[in-house]
C-alpha cells in the first residue's frame, strides 16, 4: 500500500489567498491517494476557505488555530503547531510535509515524499530578494547521503541546517507520536515549531528531531532535481476594492 501523505498548509486572508489555495488544491488532487490536506486558519474557519477546500475533491481537515498572533516572525508557526498537535492527538500515520499556500509544487515532489522512511530533505529553488536571482537552499547530496548545504552567505555561519520549510518531510510516527521509535537527540521531546528569530524556524525544528546529516535521507537520492519553488512573490499590498466597480460587477452575475 502507498504511504499516506499529510500535507500541512497554514493560510490567511489576503487578496491572492483563493488563487493560492485553488492552485495548491489542484496539484494535490492529482496526487494518488492516500493524502490528507490539513489546512489551518488563524482566528476563525472562513466560509470562503471551506468552499475552496470542498471543491478541490481532496481529503482535507480544516482547522483553526486558537493562538492569535500579529507578530510577523510568527508567520504560520502557531498554525503549523496546531496541525502537529492534531497529527499527534489522532495518531495520523504518514509523511508530514509543510506546504505553504503560495509555493509552487511539482507532482514529482509528492511522489518522492513516499520514498522517505524517517526524515527526508531536498533543495528548494528560491529567488534571492535583494539580488534578483534564483538560488538554491537545501542539501548537497551524494547518493542518499547529505554531505553539505546550499545556502546564501547572509545566514551561513548561524544556522545549523540550511533547509527551507518546504524542503523537508518526515514520518509522523517515528518523529512525532511513537516513543518506541523516537531516536531523539534530547530525552525531553519537543514536538513543536518555535517562534524563534525569523529564518531560524526550520533549523530549530530540525535540531530537535535529527542529530546530524547522517539521520537525513537525500530525497530522491542525488537531490539532482528541483521539485518545488519558494518565490517570495507575496503581494501584501494588494486588496480587492470593497465598493465601487468590483461590487457592481459581482451583482451582474
Ligand atoms: N501565513 C499565515 N498567517 C500569516 C502569515 C503567513 O497563515 O500571518 C501562512 C501563509 O499563508 C503561508 C505560510 O504561512 O502558507 C508562509 O507565509 P509567507 O509566504 O508569508 O512566508 P514566507 O514565504 O515569506 O516565508
Amino acid at each position: 500500500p502507498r504511504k499516506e501523505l499529510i500535507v500541512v498548509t497554514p493560510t490567511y486572508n489576503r487578496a491572492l489567498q483563493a488563487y493560492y489555495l485553488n492552485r495548491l488544491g489542484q496539484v494535490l488532487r492529482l496526487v494518488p491517494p492516500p493524502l490528507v490536506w490539513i489546512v489551518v486558519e488563524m482566528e476563525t474557519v472562513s466560509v470562503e476557505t471551506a468552499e475552496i477546500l470542498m471543491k478541490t475533491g481532496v481529503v482535507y481537515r480544516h482547522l483553526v488555530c486558537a493562538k492569535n498572533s500579529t507578530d510577523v516572525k510568527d508567520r504560520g508557526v502557531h498554525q503549523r503547531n496546531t496541525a502537529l498537535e492534531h497529527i499527534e492527538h489522532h495518531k495520523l500515520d504518514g509523511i508530514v510535509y509543510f506546504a505553504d499556500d503560495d509555493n509552487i509544487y511539482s507532482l514529482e515532489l509528492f511522489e518522492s515524499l513516499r520514498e522517505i522512511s524517517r526524515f527526508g530533505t531536498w533543495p528548494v529553488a528560491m529567488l534571492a530578494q535583494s539580488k534578483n536571482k534564483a538560488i538554491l537552499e537545501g542539501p548537497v547530496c551524494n547518493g542518499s547521503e547529505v554531505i553539505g548545504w546550499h545556502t546564501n552567505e547572509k545566514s551561513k555561519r548561524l544556522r545549523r541546517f540550511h533547509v527551507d520549510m518546504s524542503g523537508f518531510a518526515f514520518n509522523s510516527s517515528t518523529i512525532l507520536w511513537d516513543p518506541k521509535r523516537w531516536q531523539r537527540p534530547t530525552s525531553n521531546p519537543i514536538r513543536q515549531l518555535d517562534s524563534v528569530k525569523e529564518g531560524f524556524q526550520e533549523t530549530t525544528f530540525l535540531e530537535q528531531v535529527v542529530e546530524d546529516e547522517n539521520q537525513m535521507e537525500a530525497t530522491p537520492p542525488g537531490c539532482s532535481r528541483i521539485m518545488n519553488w519558494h518565490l517570495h512573490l507575496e503581494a501584501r499590498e494588494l486588496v480587492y476594492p470593497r465598493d465601487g466597480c468590483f461590487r457592481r460587477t459581482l451583482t451582474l452575475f
Side-chain angles (χ1 to χ4, degrees), residues 6-10 24 28 37-38 80 97-103 105 109-110 165-166:
I6 304 167
V7 179
V8 172
T9 302
L24 178 53
L28 297 181
W37 189 17
I38 303 185
R80 292 189 194 97
Y97 178 52
F98 294 122
D100 289 348
D101 57 4
D102 54 340
N103 294 340
Y105 306 92
L109 164 72
F110 295 96
M165 193 61 82
S166 63

Side-chain angles (χ1 to χ4, degrees), residues 222-252:
C223 286
S224 54
R225 291 192 295 263
I226 293 304
M227 304 186 289
N228 61 300
W229 295 261
H230 184 169
L231 298 180
H232 299 281
L233 296 181
E234 189 60 81
R236 283 174 196 284
E237 290 77 33
L238 263 184
V239 286
Y240 291 116
R242 280 171 192 278
D243 45 31
C245 47
F246 185 66
R247 181 165 291 168
R248 276 203 297 279
T249 316
L250 278 182
T251 52
L252 284 175

Side-chain angles (χ1 to χ4, degrees), residues 184-217:
R184 282 181 203 280
T186 58
S187 53
N188 184 18
I190 310 168
R191 304 173 194 112
Q192 302 241 302
L193 289 143
D194 203 353
S195 16
V196 285
K197 229 168 95 194
E198 204 173 352
F200 282 74
Q201 274 179 43
E202 294 90 339
T203 189
T204 312
F205 184 70
L206 265 53
E207 285 166 42
Q208 295 162 24
V209 299
V210 290
E211 265 181 269
D212 54 30
E213 284 79 355
N214 293 326
Q215 293 189 346
M216 297 182 173
E217 302 149 46

Side-chain angles (χ1 to χ4, degrees), residues 87-88 91-93 172-179 182 184:
I87 293 164
E88 278 198 73
K91 294 198 166 32
L92 302 188
D93 194 358
S172 63
S173 64
T174 48
I175 299 269
L176 292 180
W177 53 258
D178 188 352
W182 284 339
R184 282 181 203 280

